[in-house]
Amino acid sequence: MATALITGASAGLGLEFAWQLATARHDVVLVARDEERLEHLAGQLRAAAGVRAEVLVADLSERDQVQRVADRIADQDRPVGLVVNNAGFGTGPFLGRDLEAQERGLEVMVRAVMVLSHAAVSAMVPRGRGAVLNVSSIAALTVGGTYSAHKAWVRVFTEGLAVELRGTGVTATALCPGLVRTEFHQRAGLAFDGVPQVAWLNADDVVADALADVRRGAVISTPSLRYGIASEVARLLPRVALRALSERTER
């Protein structure tokens, strides 16, 4: 089975991607900042799934470390068949927040996605097979600070990449989930106590749907019927209405 490289593999959706890909008999390359978590996960995957699990410690807000990951993807002696650009974090409101944190978000969720996608398709197209899965969000269709802007870029970039890749045997998919039960929101200091239970998705279902969509070559993957409908509504709403909804949510 093809090797899969997953960024942000130590927690959240990245952790679930690692488990599902390993149990499907894919060797994995695990990328994140937390070496201890990665080594622990790699040991679990080797023992439970019998696959090769490689640890690549990298902070994707640092350009030299992004290049190390890109070099690993480009290594023709150890080909990577699936790249999952999952790393990211909540940036919160723009006003009154530290600019350095906002710039880190741009590096991780935009520039790193571009660099690693370029490395992936440059290596995959000559082989005539492979896939890139970029994690966007339903937030890409809303107006909520730099996070929404970054995820909108990921969605549009991936759609454009999919057009360029048509007929090459390589695919590009943007995953656009809604609220998912992971530690993402706690790490970002975001409170969602008032959100109804029905709005939450389970990470295992989101990842299973995303991988199924990759296998069938879908360009946009929006897990769950309710978020599929919400995405269509958000896409059709006038932007002034989206801004009004966002203002109400902020309050």
Side-chain angles (χ1 to χ4, degrees):
M1 298 293 286
T3 296
L5 182 144
I6 307 116
T7 69
S10 63
L13 287 178
L15 179 63
E16 186 63 31
F17 273 115
W19 273 106
Q20 291 198 26
L21 287 163
T23 53
R25 306 295 298 164
H26 290 271
D27 294 333
V28 291
V29 181
L30 309 171
V31 181
R33 293 182 300 167
D34 193 325
E35 183 173 9
E36 184 177 353
R37 274 196 179 197
L38 287 183
E39 291 289 359
H40 180 67
L41 173 60
Q44 288 181 314
L45 296 178
R46 293 178 193 124
V51 298
R52 288 192 294 271
E54 178 184 340
V55 168
L56 181 51
V57 179
D59 181 346
L60 299 184
S61 68
E62 301 291 337
R63 295 192 174 191
D64 59 333
Q65 297 186 42
V66 173
Q67 190 56 50
R68 284 198 297 108
V69 181
D71 291 343
R72 174 62 185 87
I73 293 170
D75 188 344
Q76 296 289 3
D77 295 327
R78 298 178 296 164
V80 172
L82 170 64
V83 170
V84 181
N85 280 313
N86 165 77
F89 57 90
T91 53
F94 184 72
L95 191 62
R97 293 296 179 97
D98 178 40
L99 182 58
E100 184 178 346
Q102 302 290 344
E103 291 176 317
R104 283 183 55 244
L106 185 67
E107 290 287 332
V108 173
M109 291 182 278
V110 175
R111 185 181 182 276
V113 171
M114 178 177 64
V115 171
L116 301 185
S117 295
H118 187 269
V121 298
S122 297
M124 293 171 183
V125 168
R127 296 198 298 264
R129 63 187 182 278
V132 175
L133 174 58
N134 292 330
V135 177
S136 178
S137 169
I138 196 172
L141 301 174
T142 68
V143 285
T146 56
Y147 182 81
S148 291
H150 299 338
K151 292 305 183 180
W153 183 91
V154 171
R155 179 182 171 119
V156 175
F157 166 72
T158 306
E159 288 184 283
L161 182 59
V163 171
E164 292 188 45
L165 290 171
R166 192 170 296 151
T168 66
V170 180
T171 63
T173 300
L175 171 60
C176 302
L179 294 170
V180 185
R181 292 189 185 282
T182 68
E183 59 190 89
F184 174 90
H185 302 97
Q186 289 88 342
R187 283 187 165 193
L190 301 173
F192 284 85
D193 298 337
V195 175
Q197 293 297 313
V198 70
W200 292 96
L201 303 175
N202 293 320
D204 54 347
D205 293 332
V206 169
V207 168
D209 286 353
L211 293 177
D213 284 336
V214 169
R215 285 191 291 271
R216 68 184 183 87
V219 177
I220 301 294
S221 174
T222 307
S224 88
L225 177 61
R226 57 190 178 276
Y227 276 112
I229 294 171
S231 293
E232 286 304 306
V233 171
R235 194 173 60 83
L236 295 172
L237 277 177
R239 298 300 291 180
V240 65
L242 284 176
R243 292 195 295 272
L245 283 172
S246 294
E247 184 178 359
R248 182 177 177 182
T249 302
E250 285 295 321
R251 287 178 183 154

